[in-house]
Amino acid sequence: MSDLQLRIDRRAGGLAAQVAAELRSAIRSGRLAGGVRLPASRELARDLGMSRGVVVEAYEQLVAEGFLVSRQGSGTRVADLQPASAAAAALSEAMAPLRVAYDLRVGTPDLTAFPRRAWLAAMRQVMKEVPHQALGYGDPGGVPELRAELAAYLRRVRAADVVADRLVVTNGVAQGLHLAIRALAQAGPIPLAVEDPHSVRTLALLEAAGAVRVPVPVDGEGIVVDELRRTPARAVMVTPAHQYPTGVVLSPRRRAELVAWAAEVDGMVLEDDYDAEFRYDRDPVGCLQALRPQRVVLLGSVSKALAPGLRLGWLVAPPPLAQAVRAARATSDLGSPVIDQYALAQLIASGAYDRQLRQLRRRYRARRDALTGALARWLPGAVVHGVSAGIQLYVELPAGHDEAAIIEAAAEHGVAVEGVAPLRIAGEGPPALMLGFARLPEHRIAEAIRLLAEATRGPRHLPARRSTTGAKASMSPSATTR
């Protein structure tokens, strides 16, 4: 049988012994693992072109030797010949990663909130209405229906200056960033200014696309444009709606300065519309792109509103850059999955996407409130930032705490958290944690913070470190929530 890779020499005779020897060798080598069900004797005999009696004899021999186990109704299976010893089991348990009971890491929304019924209804509608020819190779920039719906949605919700022809559907923000930078870096690597601190994952993506990162500090108003002007950068990536990781919203003054800088240097601003969907305690803030459409590339996705696994996003760019990105898709992957694009268009057109966002805002606001309340109770010395939007908080720890040691101690308590130190590019800053609240219900958030507070009681022997990001000026030393 080809699946079992049994080598049988029919001229040598002793077929039953050969079958048994081949199976025995496969079991000893681990190629056939314990518990694997073997084909029925009749099926294997047919595949090997020999009588069933030969296979039955081979099976019986291996059962007698303990290599196989045969039970009525369960067929013939490979025996488990390597039971773990007590010592091996103990070693395995010791080397296993710590169990995560409370996951406060950032980056992933509540995946249980995915609107399965609405998505299924949209898919059914698509399969009824979309013509056969629409399932072929289409516009690599995205199906027209989705681009039109997204353009209307962004005009309505984000106050964007966008038409469908300047919008390209992408496989999430990650691909949009990669393609935009590749288009800007056609003549070679470009110096790209990035906010400091900044996402480690995004930094790796930017460098792979051809950018040379130039860190620019962030303070209480967002990226410091005066510092940006001192760099050689002619392009900058920002998260103005809710800066990652500090949670700062780019102030009106800095917005005006940033687009003015782009015009002065003939540059481009890459606007990651990060967390723009989720706001709780402030009025909506329009996208930066609306101020200077010819100098700003707007990027977004449904990764937080629906699920990151859908890999659906968009890029809005000036016409030459939008055309270059569309052409790049035509020569790379030919565009995003067509049926999913039609389904998202249907979800937006039906109003189900807006309803999903409203439900998520209510859910996340309740969890945000539970997290800030638990922090005020169990970590009163911490300063909390970024509470007005998003699905995570930036929590500055009291001076003298060891960020890395607290993360390790929290893991021993079953609480997974992430620190800010790895996100700093140019210098040090105060010890701080990023706490995501999207995936835990309110009562579990409270227990997680109680355990986190226990973890902070031991590792607190380091001297206070001076902030070099400029953010400290806006932070009160008392226990406050902002």
Side-chain angles (χ1 to χ4, degrees):
M1 181 179 180
S2 59
D3 289 343
L4 293 182
Q5 297 293 323
L6 302 183
R7 299 179 181 179
I8 306 298
D9 185 356
R10 301 179 185 282
R11 295 172 298 179
L15 296 182
Q18 288 191 60
V19 172
E22 285 290 301
L23 290 172
R24 190 184 297 112
S25 175
I27 294 169
R28 283 173 170 165
S29 68
R31 188 159 58 85
L32 286 178
V36 170
R37 183 171 181 170
L38 296 184
S41 58
R42 193 181 305 277
E43 294 177 6
L44 183 55
R46 182 174 59 250
D47 292 334
L48 294 176
M50 58 183 60
S51 70
R52 177 171 176 254
V54 170
V55 177
V56 169
E57 182 181 345
Y59 277 7
E60 289 177 346
Q61 179 62 33
L62 293 177
V63 168
E65 295 176 5
F67 285 95
L68 299 179
V69 176
S70 182
R71 293 189 179 92
Q72 185 69 28
S74 180
T76 302
R77 297 180 181 272
V78 176
D80 187 359
L81 300 180
Q82 297 179 333
S85 65
L91 178 62
S92 176
E93 183 177 350
M95 296 180 64
L98 292 172
R99 182 179 64 88
V100 175
Y102 302 93
D103 194 347
L104 293 175
R105 290 171 293 190
V106 302
T108 303
D110 184 353
L111 298 179
T112 68
F114 181 77
R116 291 174 180 263
R117 290 185 179 180
W119 186 260
L120 182 59
M123 292 289 279
R124 285 174 173 164
Q125 193 73 15
V126 167
M127 298 312 292
K128 287 180 182 178
E129 297 179 354
V130 171
H132 298 307
Q133 58 268 27
L135 303 180
Y137 295 110
D139 186 339
V143 300
E145 289 83 351
L146 178 57
R147 287 191 285 120
E149 289 293 345
L150 283 173
Y153 172 80
L154 293 171
R155 288 194 298 268
R156 172 171 56 88
V157 175
R158 301 297 298 128
D161 184 345
V162 54
V163 294
D165 287 345
R166 291 194 283 123
L167 187 149
V168 179
V169 178
T170 63
N171 291 335
V173 170
Q175 186 188 46
L177 280 172
H178 184 88
L179 294 175
I181 292 171
R182 288 289 298 273
L184 293 173
Q186 290 182 352
I190 61 169
L192 176 72
V194 296
E195 298 163 323
D196 186 8
H198 195 90
S199 166
V200 174
R201 179 182 300 178
T202 302
L203 286 176
L205 182 150
L206 299 177
E207 291 176 351
V212 178
R213 66 185 185 186
V214 179
V216 178
V218 170
D219 65 12
E221 293 187 68
I223 191 167
V224 182
V225 181
D226 286 343
E227 294 292 334
L228 174 63
R229 286 195 169 95
R230 298 187 179 97
T231 73
R234 294 298 178 267
V236 60
M237 179 187 167
V238 292
T239 50
H242 193 235
Q243 198 274 333
Y244 183 86
T246 65
V248 171
V249 178
L250 191 64
S251 70
R253 179 172 70 95
R254 291 283 171 80
R255 287 169 176 257
E257 290 176 355
L258 188 58
V259 295
W261 166 86
E264 291 167 7
V265 302
D266 190 23
M268 192 67 65
V269 178
L270 304 180
E271 178 183 11
D272 181 354
D273 212 19
Y274 183 77
D275 277 352
E277 309 96 327
F278 305 118
R279 59 187 183 276
Y280 312 112
D281 305 314
R282 61 172 169 79
D283 293 332
V285 177
C287 64
L288 187 67
Q289 184 266 355
L291 297 179
R292 197 71 64 95
Q294 297 303 313
R295 293 294 177 188
V296 181
V297 177
L298 176 65
L299 302 115
S301 77
V302 300
S303 292
K304 300 291 173 54
L306 296 177
L310 287 177
R311 307 311 306 135
L312 284 173
W314 53 85
L315 174 151
V316 179
L321 186 57
Q323 185 56 42
V325 170
R326 181 180 284 108
R329 294 219 67 182
T331 57
S332 58
D333 60 1
L334 301 178
S336 299
V338 170
I339 294 177
D340 288 350
Q341 290 187 68
Y342 279 113
L344 179 56
Q346 174 63 26
L347 207 69
I348 297 173
S350 68
Y353 189 73
D354 285 324
R355 289 193 294 274
Q356 167 74 359
L357 285 173
R358 287 195 294 270
Q359 292 170 3
L360 286 177
R361 288 188 194 109
R362 289 194 293 270
R363 175 178 298 196
Y364 291 155
R365 177 168 188 157
R367 295 178 180 180
R368 187 280 312 262
D369 291 346
L371 179 55
T372 55
L375 287 167
R377 177 181 180 184
W378 296 109
L379 286 171
V383 182
V384 184
H385 305 267
V387 299
S388 64
I391 57 176
Q392 70 277 324
L393 299 180
Y394 178 98
V395 180
E396 183 182 343
L397 299 169
H401 281 72
D402 185 338
E403 179 182 307
I406 288 175
I407 294 171
E408 183 177 351
E412 293 174 355
H413 285 74
V415 182
V417 296
E418 296 176 343
V420 176
L423 310 183
R424 303 187 193 279
I425 305 172
E428 293 185 338
L433 301 176
M434 289 294 297
L435 302 182
F437 53 81
R439 289 173 288 176
L440 290 181
E442 291 88 318
H443 70 281
R444 301 200 72 224
I445 287 175
E447 177 62 13
I449 299 306
R450 185 188 69 80
L451 292 171
L452 177 62
E454 289 185 9
T456 65
R457 291 171 188 158
R460 51 185 304 170
H461 306 296
L462 293 186
R465 290 178 287 185
R466 181 177 58 88
S467 170
T468 59
T469 65
K472 188 65 179 179
S474 66
M475 300 177 183
S476 167
S478 62
T480 58
T481 300
R482 304 179 185 175

